[in-house]
């Protein structure tokens, strides 16, 4: 089986318009959370959002102006990762390079615009015809729109697969691309996670779930508070992140430096409840990833937790991590939830958090759980409260993504060469 290397990464996130800036802002403990704009606040005055730090379209060719916002994020993040990997467009071996995308809700902005058009037509003087919409509306809304756009733009003719697994979408995309390369079906893959659902309709639906954070009185930017005694839920964010994966043979043949080795992937399903998590299956996903990597729990120095700041989720994840890695006194494992700063990007969360974890491994600087002032006694692990840690020896990392619907994913990466 082939070793799978990470040769490029990119992101446009609430923390920055590229991955280095996003990571620097995470290390600084910057919380990119703000009140909702007027069109949402008029219905939901207390809702908070984590919008992207910049617009994706100026980074792209103007021909992509008609794409849904989520696809624009995907293209922008992919461009950064592909440039770092020096991956050529229209390659001779195009059928050996795939595109794998994770997204929770494709086409949210396109769909919202269609509903607004219909509503405006119905309440106007009757002269506007709501039936007359753009002929590409359906392709723009399809979940695989981002994968198609990347495949066509760069001429990659391998499998173009899209995974929609709620909060685990892009983590699954990473894992399935990893398996395709490791098992010899592909030589390389561009993996992307994207999400853009900060629309009125989407926010009304999310608000009904009662999982959204309440504004913190003294500083609303610090309202997402994973593992804290006073946590009240998560904040939805938007953006995209990307990584390029290659077989070691391909990367070494073209003398491309590796950022790390992706070496473990575990996934499981709770098969129990639509929204309530299961510790047993989270444990299985983590153990499966470690076994896949040929590593022991003691070999992992940093874990980017799912850490959504929900009442049940944080306690169950703490229990799961403790089962695998031991208590705070038994383990040297440092953990953080970077959702405290960039919010929850749903389909893009898994890959953004994995990329931040790889950056932490490479730099020896660990991002904090920036809002962890008073820990919940039930969440008693080393969650790196408030400030980043520097000068750490990190040889291997894990990243967890646990989704509504009961899907659990754990990914493991290590230094390359070890």
């Amino acid at each position: 089986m082939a070793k799978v290397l990470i040769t490029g990464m990119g992101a446009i996130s609430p923390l920055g318009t590229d991955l280095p800036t996003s990571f620097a802002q995470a290390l600084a403990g910057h919380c990119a959370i703000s009140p909702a704009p007027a069109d949402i606040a008029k219905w939901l005055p207390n809702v908070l959002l984590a919008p992207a730090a910049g617009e994706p379209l100026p980074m792209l060719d103007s021909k992509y102006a008609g794409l849904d916002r989520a696809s624009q994020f995907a293209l922008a993040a992919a461009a950064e990762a592909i440039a770092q990997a020096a991956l050529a467009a229209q390659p001779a071996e195009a059928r050996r390079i795939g595109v794998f995308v994770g997204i929770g809700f494709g086409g949210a902005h396109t769909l919202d615009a269609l509903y607004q058009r219909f509503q405006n037509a119905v309440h106007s003087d009757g002269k506007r015809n709501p039936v007359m919409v753009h002929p590409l509306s359906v392709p723009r809304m399809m979940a695989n729109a981002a994968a198609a756009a990347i495949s066509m733009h760069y001429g990659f003719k391998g499998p173009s697969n899209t995974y929609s697994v709620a909060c685990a979408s892009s983590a699954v995309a990473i894992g399935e691309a990893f398996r395709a390369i490791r098992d010899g079906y592909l030589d390389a893959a561009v993996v992307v996670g994207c999400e853009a659902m900060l629309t009125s309709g989407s926010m009304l639906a999310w608000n009904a779930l009662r999982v959204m954070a309440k504004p913190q009185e003294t500083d609303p930017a610090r309202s997402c508070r994973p593992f804290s005694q006073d946590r009240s839920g998560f904040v939805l964010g938007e953006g995209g992140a990307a990584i390029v994966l290659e077989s070691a043979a391909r990367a070494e043949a073209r003398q491309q430096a590796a950022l790390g080795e992706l070496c473990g992937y575990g996934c499981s399903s709770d098969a129990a409840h639509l929204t309530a998590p299961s510790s047993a299956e989270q444990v299985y996903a983590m153990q499966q990833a470690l076994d896949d990597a040929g590593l022991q729990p003691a070999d992992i120095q940093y874990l980017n937790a799912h850490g959504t700041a929900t009442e049940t989720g944080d306690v169950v994840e703490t229990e799961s991590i403790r089962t695998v890695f031991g208590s705070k006194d038994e383990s040297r494992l440092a953990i953080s939830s970077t959702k405290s700063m960039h919010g929850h990007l749903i389909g893009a969360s898994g890959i953004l958090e994995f990329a931040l974890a790889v950056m932490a491994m490479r730099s020896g600087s660990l991002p904090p759980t920036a809002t962890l002032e008073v820990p919940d006694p039930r969440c008693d692990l080393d969650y790196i409260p408030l400030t980043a840690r520097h000068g750490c020896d990190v040889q291997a990392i894990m990243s967890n993504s646990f989704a509504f619907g009961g899907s659990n994913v754990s990914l493991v990466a290590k230094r390359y060469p070890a």
Side-chain angles (χ1 to χ4, degrees):
M1 294 190 294
K3 287 187 177 181
V4 180
L5 306 185
I6 303 160
T7 55
M9 300 194 296
I12 173 170
S13 81
L15 294 173
T17 56
D18 56 39
L19 183 57
T21 302
S22 297
F23 183 61
Q25 289 288 78
L27 291 182
H30 173 69
C31 296
I33 291 167
S34 59
D39 62 329
I40 295 174
K42 69 179 179 180
W43 304 111
L44 303 169
N46 294 318
V47 161
L48 302 160
L49 305 177
E55 291 298 311
L57 189 55
M59 305 177 186
L60 306 174
D61 190 295
S62 60
K63 68 181 180 181
Y64 294 119
L67 291 184
D68 189 80
R69 187 173 176 83
S71 296
Q72 293 175 357
F73 281 132
L75 281 163
E80 182 185 354
I82 288 169
Q84 185 178 33
L87 200 63
Q90 312 298 328
E93 72 283 23
R95 292 193 179 99
R96 299 291 298 172
I97 302 175
V99 178
F100 292 69
V101 171
I103 185 168
F105 182 11
H109 279 260
T110 302
L111 182 61
D112 218 53
L114 289 174
Y115 282 128
Q116 288 178 13
R117 181 183 179 87
F118 180 78
Q119 184 182 44
N120 291 339
V122 169
H123 292 92
S124 68
D125 58 8
K127 293 181 180 179
R128 290 192 64 186
N129 185 351
V131 176
M132 300 300 293
V133 299
H134 197 285
L136 295 180
S137 295
V138 168
R140 290 171 178 173
M141 286 190 294
M142 293 191 307
N144 71 325
I150 294 167
S151 177
M152 290 187 290
H153 182 78
Y154 293 99
F156 301 147
K157 297 182 179 179
S160 177
N161 295 340
T162 298
Y163 302 88
S164 188
V165 197
C167 318
S169 298
S170 54
V172 170
I174 293 171
E176 295 304 317
F178 163 68
R179 285 178 174 172
I181 297 169
R182 183 191 61 182
D183 295 345
Y185 294 101
L186 292 172
D187 296 325
V190 178
V191 188
V192 178
C194 56
E195 202 72 77
M197 64 168 82
L198 304 187
T199 65
S200 299
S202 296
M203 296 311 300
L204 287 167
W206 277 101
N207 185 68
L209 272 174
R210 302 291 187 265
V211 294
M212 308 293 285
K214 298 177 177 63
Q216 210 237 5
E217 291 184 6
T218 58
D219 186 356
R222 299 176 63 81
S223 296
C224 183
R225 306 173 72 77
F227 308 112
S228 298
Q229 183 74 56
D230 61 347
R231 68 189 180 278
S232 60
F234 55 79
V235 174
L236 280 183
E238 63 172 1
I243 63 173
V244 175
L245 299 176
E246 295 186 61
S247 68
R250 186 182 194 277
E252 290 166 1
R254 63 191 195 92
Q255 299 183 317
Q256 178 63 35
L259 306 177
E261 179 187 348
L262 177 59
C263 54
Y265 169 44
C267 56
S268 67
S269 297
D270 294 346
H273 195 278
L274 192 61
T275 58
S278 163
S279 178
E281 299 312 314
Q282 292 179 3
V283 167
Y284 179 69
M286 285 187 276
Q287 289 177 333
Q288 189 181 14
L290 288 169
D291 291 344
D292 200 30
L295 298 178
Q296 298 298 314
D299 296 324
I300 307 293
Q301 288 81 37
Y302 172 68
L303 189 155
N304 191 300
H306 187 57
T308 55
T310 58
E311 169 61 26
T312 302
D314 286 4
V315 174
V316 171
E317 185 172 11
T318 298
E319 178 186 340
S320 302
I321 295 171
R322 191 189 301 115
T323 299
V324 175
F325 291 94
S327 69
K328 184 176 180 178
D329 294 334
E330 295 169 335
S331 169
R332 295 188 302 111
L333 181 68
I335 312 159
S336 65
S337 171
T338 51
K339 287 185 179 73
S340 59
M341 298 173 282
H342 55 63
H344 195 342
L345 276 64
I346 309 299
S349 275
I351 192 166
L352 175 61
E353 292 161 15
F354 176 77
L356 292 173
V358 172
M359 294 285 280
M361 178 176 70
R362 289 177 53 78
S363 67
S365 292
L366 310 183
T369 307
T371 55
L372 184 52
E373 296 170 2
V374 182
D376 183 335
R378 296 169 296 175
C379 301
D380 55 356
L381 300 176
D382 180 9
Y383 284 119
I384 316 180
L386 302 177
T387 58
R389 291 182 192 160
H390 303 283
C392 303
D393 179 18
V394 183
Q395 297 297 316
I397 58 93
M398 176 180 283
S399 183
N400 285 342
S401 298
F402 303 142
F404 282 165
S407 296
N408 309 295
V409 175
S410 290
L411 298 164
V412 171
K414 64 183 180 180
R415 286 181 171 272
Y416 185 87

